[in-house]
Amino acid sequence: MKIKLWGVRGSIPTTGPDTECYGGNTSCVTVSHNDYVLVLDGGTGIRQLTGNYYPENKRVDILLTHLHLDHIQGLGFFSPLFDESKEIHIWGPASSSQSLFSRLSRYLSPPLFPVLLRDLPCKLQLHEIGNSDFETGPFRIQSNYIIHPGPTVGYRVTGKQAVFTFIPDHEPSLGNKGMIKEKKWVSGFDLAREADLLLHDAQFTQQEYQLRKGWGHSSIDDACLFASLAEVKKILLSHHDPSHTDAFLDDMFASFKKNAGSMPPAILAKEGLEIDMS
Amino acid sequence: MAAYEIEIILNRQLADCLSIPVFITDTLGNLIFYNEPAEKVLGKRFEETGEMPVEEWSTIFNPLDEDGKPLSPGELPLVKTLRDEFPYHKSFKIESLKGEWQNISVTSYPIISREGKFLGAVAIFWKIKQHEN
């Protein structure tokens, strides 16, 4: 089981010399086992995957956490969608009022995009999920709604050798007193419990978070507290704020580590990073 | 035990920000959270009691209707919400921990998830001011 990060930036693509190290593409990660590849989120990072996707794979599964633009913006530039020989399965959170097709079509339609979702040449199948369990290829997937504005899920991907949890946008500390430190009262806990690797939202410093409560994101402190409560083995801190340069991220992480207590090993998510979980 | 659904967690987080008593139950009526103002009504602190089975917490009140007749549990808004999964509202009297009778209004509503699943119920207690009687 291999994890590759294609986009780890939050909110908006942020390319330039100041973000060269950690990357400027928005959310996209692949989980692969042999030649089977699962795509998590369709942010701008997915465009880089286009040329790297296994051309012989007829079926492609794309699991969307939610439909904010930074998680779907790259979909229209993912070449298998324009290949009539491909069977594309897009999994995304159900809403109580509109279908996944209708919500995705808001972006994949004029004037925002020239091609209509319904006109894509591939064989497209949409799957609405919520608190769900399903299997695709060699992976068992659990999805649960989590705290973030609008219908949003996180994913727990169980492979043959390891468990990877993907929660790129999440605010488990939303509330008067922050995160409730009882496991059954923590949003996303079941997804992350004892995972081998957790990719989690860590967009803000603790000071920034105080001014952005309710925006749906976490501070680096809360991300690590969440990882600690869930007893994950390692955490990737992701969804970097667009205003955070490489130098800022390094300083922010160093400063956090200096004051942090006991917590699971943590690293800053970096575009292009590959992790072999075999 | 699995974690609660986010609709329950968010209701607790909201209740924790309010100055009015709020009680949250699961689908069976077990009290899974009450906020600080509700602690004054119950006379117990949540940190001390934790979750309470319905049999334990429902006996604390002695509800009477406006004519002073005892109210059966089936007439209480929260019990009706748990039974029908609809919101209810009712004014009645309860005996405070000091033995004084208080006029209160209770509003209860079901927590129905995004997936349409009934997850529990919330009861909000409103103390009726004297001039409203």
Side-chain angles (χ1 to χ4, degrees):
Chain A
M1 186 168 167
K2 289 180 182 167
I3 312 296
K4 181 153 185 182
L5 313 183
W6 301 89
V8 296
R9 186 64 55 175
S11 311
I12 190 169
T14 313
T15 49
D18 288 346
T19 56
E20 216 168 29
C21 175
Y22 292 103
N25 279 300
T26 63
S27 186
C28 183
V29 168
T30 51
V31 184
S32 59
H33 179 81
N34 296 330
D35 60 353
Y36 190 91
V37 184
L38 197 61
V39 183
L40 303 176
D41 272 343
T44 60
I46 202 173
R47 198 193 60 78
Q48 302 183 85
L49 179 57
T50 284
N52 293 283
Y53 200 83
Y54 290 89
E56 65 275 15
N57 285 9
K58 192 169 170 250
R59 176 177 170 136
V60 181
D61 287 274
I62 303 171
L63 277 58
L64 302 175
T65 55
H66 61 305
L67 273 59
H68 286 164
L69 204 53
D70 52 330
H71 295 257
I72 62 168
Q73 196 178 356
L75 282 178
F77 302 89
F78 185 49
S79 61
L81 286 166
F82 298 87
D83 181 342
E84 60 184 20
S85 73
K86 299 290 188 193
E87 190 184 297
I88 311 282
H89 294 256
I90 297 181
W91 308 73
S95 136
S96 51
S97 56
Q98 289 188 47
S99 69
L100 183 59
F101 179 86
S102 166
R103 286 175 293 138
L104 273 176
S105 289
R106 284 191 191 174
Y107 168 51
L108 291 166
S109 63
L112 296 179
F113 196 74
V115 183
L116 290 167
L117 181 63
R118 66 166 181 262
D119 290 340
L120 290 171
C122 67
K123 297 173 192 73
L124 182 65
Q125 285 193 41
L126 301 182
H127 304 268
E128 306 215 8
I129 53 166
N131 297 325
S132 310
D133 290 285
F134 53 98
E135 287 185 10
T136 175
F139 301 116
R140 200 170 75 244
I141 318 284
Q142 178 185 350
S143 63
N144 284 138
Y145 286 113
I146 52 160
I147 296 178
H148 188 69
T152 304
V153 294
Y155 292 105
R156 179 181 178 94
V157 181
T158 303
K160 285 186 168 44
Q161 304 110 341
V163 173
F164 172 59
T165 297
F166 183 68
I167 316 181
D169 290 44
H170 189 203
E171 188 178 5
S173 289
L174 181 63
N176 217 14
K177 296 171 187 161
M179 203 180 311
I180 301 163
K181 294 173 192 68
E182 290 171 64
K183 293 173 179 179
K184 66 180 173 182
W185 285 99
V186 178
S187 162
F189 176 80
D190 290 340
L191 296 172
R193 187 182 54 240
E194 296 175 11
D196 296 290
L197 181 65
L198 163 70
L199 181 144
H200 195 275
D201 187 335
Q203 180 154 347
F204 303 128
T205 65
Q206 194 62 19
Q207 290 75 21
E208 288 171 329
Y209 177 67
Q210 299 309 314
L211 302 172
R212 292 165 177 82
K213 281 186 180 175
W215 288 25
H217 300 290
S218 289
S219 67
I220 187 170
D221 306 63
D222 287 336
C224 289
L225 172 60
F226 175 79
S228 187
L229 280 170
E231 298 178 59
V232 305
K233 295 187 179 66
K234 189 173 191 178
I235 178 171
L236 282 167
L237 303 162
S238 190
H239 209 272
H240 305 314
D241 190 89
S243 71
H244 291 177
T245 63
D246 293 334
F248 185 97
L249 284 170
D250 286 334
D251 288 347
M252 167 178 152
F253 190 46
S255 162
F256 167 72
K257 277 201 298 188
K258 205 161 72 179
N259 301 313
S262 169
M263 61 170 205
I267 56 171
L268 289 172
K270 188 175 185 177
E271 195 171 309
L273 178 69
E274 281 186 274
I275 297 173
D276 191 340
M277 300 177 70
S278 304
Chain B
M1 185 192 172
Y4 288 119
E5 282 88 347
I6 58 164
E7 293 86 347
I8 294 277
I9 294 172
L10 286 168
N11 267 283
R12 171 175 172 165
Q13 291 284 27
L14 173 62
D16 207 29
C17 301
L18 302 178
S19 60
I20 45 177
V22 178
F23 299 83
I24 303 175
T25 75
D26 64 15
T27 55
L28 300 173
N30 298 312
L31 192 56
I32 56 175
F33 179 72
Y34 52 97
N35 63 2
E36 280 184 29
E39 290 176 348
K40 290 177 187 160
V41 179
L42 275 176
K44 294 169 187 283
R45 296 200 64 233
F46 183 69
E47 278 71 19
E48 291 162 7
T49 64
E51 300 182 2
M52 292 168 72
V54 62
E55 301 80 23
E56 189 178 338
W57 75 271
S58 60
T59 54
I60 290 173
F61 307 108
N62 295 308
L64 302 178
D65 67 14
E66 285 164 351
D67 299 324
K69 294 175 186 165
L71 275 172
S72 69
E75 294 175 88
L76 297 171
L78 181 59
V79 176
K80 289 167 81 173
T81 292
L82 287 165
R83 185 185 63 211
D84 302 341
E85 302 176 17
F86 282 110
Y88 287 97
H89 180 85
K90 189 174 180 66
S91 296
F92 52 94
K93 294 177 184 177
I94 57 168
E95 191 178 4
S96 77
L97 295 164
K98 293 176 187 168
E100 296 165 349
W101 287 95
Q102 291 181 346
N103 293 308
I104 61 161
S105 282
V106 174
T107 303
S108 61
Y109 64 86
I111 303 174
I112 310 281
S113 74
R114 191 178 269 132
E115 294 177 307
K117 187 178 164 194
F118 177 53
L119 303 175
V122 174
I124 303 171
F125 282 38
W126 313 86
K127 193 173 174 182
I128 301 174
K129 292 174 187 163
Q130 206 58 42
H131 63 82
E132 292 175 40
N133 291 338

